[in-house]
Amino acid sequence: MHQNYQLTVEEVLARPSFQHAYIAAGKMGLGRLVRWVHIIEVIQFEELLQGGEMILTTGAAFKNDTESFLIYLEQLIHRNVTCLCIEMGHHISSVSQEWLYAAEAHDFPLIIFPEAVRFIDITQDIHAHIINQHHRALQDLEKVSREFHRMTLTSQGVSHVLALLQSSTKGQVIYVPVDAQPKFNPPLGKRESAQWLEFLASQGTENGSGDTGAGLYLEEIDGQSVIIQPVGAMGKTWAHILLVLDRKPQEYEYLILDSASLSIAQDLLRKRYMEERKLYSQTLWVDDLLHMRIQEEEQIKDLIGAEFKRLNALDYQVVLIEFEQEQEEGLTAEDDGIESMGLHLSLAARSVFEGGLFHPIITLKHNRLVVLAFDKAPKKPAKERLQHVLESLQSMKDHAGARLKIGIGQPNQSFLHAHHSYQEALQALSVTVTLQQKNVMFYDELGVFELLFHIADKGILASFVRTYLGPLIDHDNQKGSDLLRTLKVYLDHDGSKQVAAGQLFIVRQSLYYRLDKIEELLGSDYMHPEKRLALQVGIRAYQLLYPEKKL
């Protein structure tokens, strides 16, 4: 299927419009590629060129003056022009030996038309040929891409994709997964195979932990072009494809390689999704553990197997990830849609937790992922790594239209204590609803909420709120004012009027008016330490009681 979609100087010379032309110097450059044709009849033109052009001229810019010609030639070489075609006749009667030496020194093809030619015929001919080549390349690319897509849909596997990639490019294809044996198409000897694997390792890609966003990497080795393409998804690289060509790669090869890597990534993603579903069915016992329906270590040993002793000695934290699909108005997510979304999220979560040096045990309960994150690197700060993991997970799901709220319990040890960290994670998760603007909450950041959660009688909290904040709440309800929020922002920023006005998006004068009203309702001592503390606790209690009311 592969064709050469590039046009060389040698191929141009074989076209009918060049039947009377001959190459006077620079024969070593006949393999240069012609990207476009341009006519240049001025002496200063460097900024007009981009490289890869075939230049046509009658010599009007330099005529028979060698110094002017050398200035003209130097600009062409500096701009990576492909070749120069000179028409003999009105402006030039002969080509001096000095001109030929200069072109030969740079292997720069110098083509002579011994008689007048129609430049318009040449440009139309070559431009039409180049455009037709591009059109054929796009047709072939579409055909191959459709075949890759068909392979993905029919699960024909990586080997078929690699075979089609090789037949489409006529290059050496090397596929190196991070967790399986490499594949070579066509096959290579042991020595050569080892050399290519050593080369890949030298590029820093052997561990597969790189970011797939890094994209293609091109290297020139002994006259060969080597393109390295990472394959993966969800922030993790699962494999690399090396495409080795005996020529400079064309856009066609880049596009084919990208399509092949996408097809392989989809195939690998499907397999990992199936594995995740299998793992999910094997970890349903976690819900029994967290709700203390499992109370014997022997039961857990039977469920986990050989990994029990190692994991039971590691610190771990329970992480609750609540997800909600953003729906169009009037539509609700179906149960199977929630499960599918949860499994995809579980697959992404497993990847990022492992990347953060945690061993995750994950189960799915309704619209929540429950993760037991065992710390495999106790000498590195766990909280800092967890924050990075959860930030990565949120950024990965943002584009998918899923909203995540996350609560994290405190570190613990021993499976039988998991319910403690689980209860802490639940409380932290509930505060994300209360605070609204905060989507990730660690239990050790709850502050006064930790105490408020342990007040079982919510009537006590409501009475406390009425005692200290009742006048503000009543005024806001009757007048539609925003005094309670104003007080919260003002106190949270240590009584800074400048910062509070900025956070509330109001001018200072408006803030002063609100503060005067607050003082009138609460008393002039509302900023005294004891009363200020009571007001701040009262505001948190109000948020806990009425999480739907945004402050």
Side-chain angles (χ1 to χ4, degrees):
M1 184 177 291
H2 171 73
Q3 299 181 38
N4 186 1
Y5 295 111
Q6 295 172 313
L7 185 64
T8 65
V9 175
E10 187 172 15
E11 289 169 334
V12 168
L13 288 172
R15 300 194 68 77
S17 53
F18 281 77
Q19 61 180 330
H20 299 301
Y22 66 92
I23 183 162
K27 290 184 179 180
M28 295 298 293
L30 286 176
R32 291 186 177 195
L33 302 177
V34 177
R35 187 182 60 84
W36 206 242
V37 181
H38 202 33
I39 301 170
I40 299 288
E41 298 287 20
V42 293
I43 195 65
Q44 296 293 337
F45 55 81
E46 197 168 356
E47 294 182 359
L48 302 176
L49 302 175
Q50 296 180 341
E53 295 93 348
M54 166 180 274
I55 301 300
L56 304 177
T57 183
T58 62
F62 47 83
K63 299 182 181 176
N64 289 310
D65 180 50
T66 294
E67 184 177 350
S68 297
F69 174 79
L70 293 178
I71 293 172
Y72 187 95
L73 182 66
E74 182 181 354
Q75 293 178 83
L76 298 180
I77 294 170
H78 183 257
R79 297 302 293 181
N80 295 315
V81 166
T82 299
C83 63
L84 173 64
C85 303
I86 303 176
E87 178 194 80
M88 298 289 103
H90 184 69
H91 296 293
I92 297 180
S93 56
S94 63
V95 177
S96 74
Q97 197 64 37
E98 194 170 352
W99 295 14
L100 300 179
Y101 288 151
E104 194 69 42
H106 293 88
D107 293 330
F108 184 80
L110 184 61
I111 298 169
I112 304 299
F113 289 105
E115 55 188 39
V117 291
R118 285 168 53 91
F119 282 174
I120 189 172
D121 292 340
I122 294 173
T123 55
Q124 285 181 339
D125 173 52
I126 295 178
H127 288 171
H129 181 76
I130 291 172
I131 291 170
N132 287 335
Q133 282 182 314
H134 287 175
H135 180 65
R136 288 196 299 273
L138 290 174
Q139 287 180 318
D140 280 356
L141 176 64
E142 183 181 2
K143 188 183 300 183
V144 175
S145 296
R146 281 201 304 267
E147 183 62 16
F148 281 140
H149 184 60
R150 186 191 66 79
M151 289 178 175
T152 300
L153 293 177
T154 56
S155 302
Q156 290 193 13
V158 172
S159 297
H160 288 82
V161 173
L162 297 176
L164 179 56
L165 175 62
Q166 195 282 325
S167 65
S168 300
T169 60
K170 302 303 180 188
Q172 174 67 52
V173 175
I174 304 169
Y175 176 71
V176 186
V178 298
D179 56 359
Q181 292 299 311
K183 300 177 183 290
F184 299 86
N185 197 328
L188 296 175
K190 289 185 178 180
R191 183 177 178 181
E192 194 173 358
S193 299
Q195 288 175 340
W196 281 117
L197 295 178
E198 184 179 345
F199 163 74
L200 180 63
S202 71
Q203 306 305 307
T205 58
E206 70 277 11
N207 58 13
S209 61
D211 183 353
T212 55
L216 291 168
Y217 177 75
L218 176 64
E219 181 84 11
E220 298 290 336
I221 303 177
D222 299 330
Q224 293 180 305
S225 298
V226 184
I227 311 173
I228 303 175
Q229 168 74 59
V231 179
M234 297 183 298
K236 190 168 184 179
T237 299
W238 297 328
H240 287 89
I241 302 176
L242 277 69
L243 179 60
V244 185
L245 303 169
D246 57 5
R247 59 189 180 277
K248 288 187 176 181
Q250 311 171 45
E251 185 181 6
Y252 174 83
E253 273 94 16
Y254 285 120
L255 294 173
I256 286 288
L257 182 56
D258 183 65
S259 184
S261 67
L262 180 60
S263 178
I264 292 173
Q266 290 173 332
D267 186 68
L268 295 177
L269 186 60
R270 180 192 297 109
K271 290 176 180 176
R272 278 162 173 75
Y273 178 80
M274 294 171 65
E275 290 169 3
E276 195 66 32
R277 181 177 286 277
K278 182 180 178 182
L279 288 172
Y280 160 59
S281 66
Q282 294 173 350
T283 56
L284 295 176
W285 58 269
V286 172
D287 188 63
D288 291 332
L289 176 69
L290 298 179
H291 290 87
M292 301 181 67
R293 292 190 289 268
I294 295 178
Q295 298 187 16
E296 299 292 336
E297 281 193 351
E298 289 301 321
Q299 291 179 272
I300 306 173
K301 286 181 184 178
D302 292 340
L303 291 164
I304 295 181
E307 285 284 277
F308 171 79
K309 185 175 181 180
R310 180 179 71 88
L311 294 177
N312 201 46
L314 293 178
D315 285 345
Y316 67 91
Q317 289 170 265
V318 174
V319 181
L320 296 181
I321 305 172
E322 189 170 275
F323 56 92
E324 181 182 355
Q325 182 70 45
E326 294 180 350
Q327 300 288 327
E328 294 183 12
E329 188 175 351
L331 296 179
T332 57
E334 299 293 337
D335 288 343
D336 58 346
I338 287 290
E339 181 179 343
S340 177
M341 190 192 316
L343 286 169
H344 277 95
L345 180 59
S346 176
L347 184 58
R350 190 177 304 280
S351 173
V352 293
F353 272 98
E354 289 173 350
L357 301 179
F358 292 96
H359 176 92
I361 294 179
I362 304 175
T363 192
L364 177 63
K365 186 73 171 179
H366 304 305
N367 67 326
R368 282 181 188 166
L369 281 188
V370 182
V371 184
L372 274 62
F374 290 84
D375 189 358
K376 298 193 295 183
K379 294 183 179 180
K380 298 181 179 180
K383 186 171 182 180
E384 184 178 318
R385 284 183 286 121
L386 263 181
Q387 286 172 329
H388 179 71
V389 163
L390 298 174
E391 287 170 4
S392 299
L393 185 61
Q394 283 191 306
S395 65
M396 289 165 58
K397 296 306 295 180
D398 279 348
H399 67 278
R403 294 192 300 269
L404 303 184
K405 292 188 178 296
I406 303 172
I408 306 98
Q410 294 198 93
N412 217 325
Q413 206 175 73
S414 172
F415 277 98
L416 291 181
H417 297 152
H419 65 281
H420 295 307
S421 187
Y422 174 64
Q423 291 299 320
E424 292 166 351
L426 278 174
Q427 291 179 11
L429 182 62
S430 68
V431 171
T432 65
V433 178
T434 298
L435 297 183
Q436 296 183 3
Q437 73 274 20
K438 191 171 178 64
N439 294 325
V440 178
M441 177 62 74
F442 286 79
Y443 183 80
D444 62 11
E445 296 175 350
L446 290 184
V448 73
F449 282 111
E450 185 177 345
L451 290 175
L452 297 178
F453 274 120
H454 289 87
I455 299 177
D457 188 348
K458 300 306 177 186
I460 295 176
L461 288 182
S463 176
F464 186 86
V465 170
R466 287 300 309 171
T467 298
Y468 287 95
L469 298 172
L472 292 190
I473 295 171
D474 292 341
H475 189 277
D476 283 348
N477 290 336
Q478 293 168 11
K479 305 293 185 180
S481 56
D482 204 12
L483 296 184
L484 186 59
R485 171 168 159 72
T486 300
L487 178 62
K488 177 184 182 299
V489 172
Y490 184 59
L491 295 180
D492 286 351
H493 292 89
D494 298 321
S496 170
K497 295 180 175 64
Q498 180 179 355
V499 176
Q503 291 292 316
L504 293 166
F505 301 103
I506 59 177
V507 297
R508 290 270 195 99
Q509 288 75 12
S510 296
L511 177 64
Y512 296 155
Y513 171 79
R514 292 187 187 182
L515 293 177
D516 288 342
K517 195 64 181 177
I518 289 171
E519 183 175 335
E520 177 187 327
L521 294 170
L522 299 182
S524 59
D525 63 342
Y526 79 96
M527 286 298 286
H528 289 184
E530 292 302 324
K531 191 164 184 180
R532 173 178 173 175
L533 179 59
L535 290 171
Q536 288 184 296
V537 172
I539 290 170
R540 267 54 183 184
Y542 179 85
Q543 289 180 290
L544 191 61
L545 291 170
Y546 309 105
E548 73 282 358
K549 296 184 179 181
K550 186 175 181 180
L551 288 184

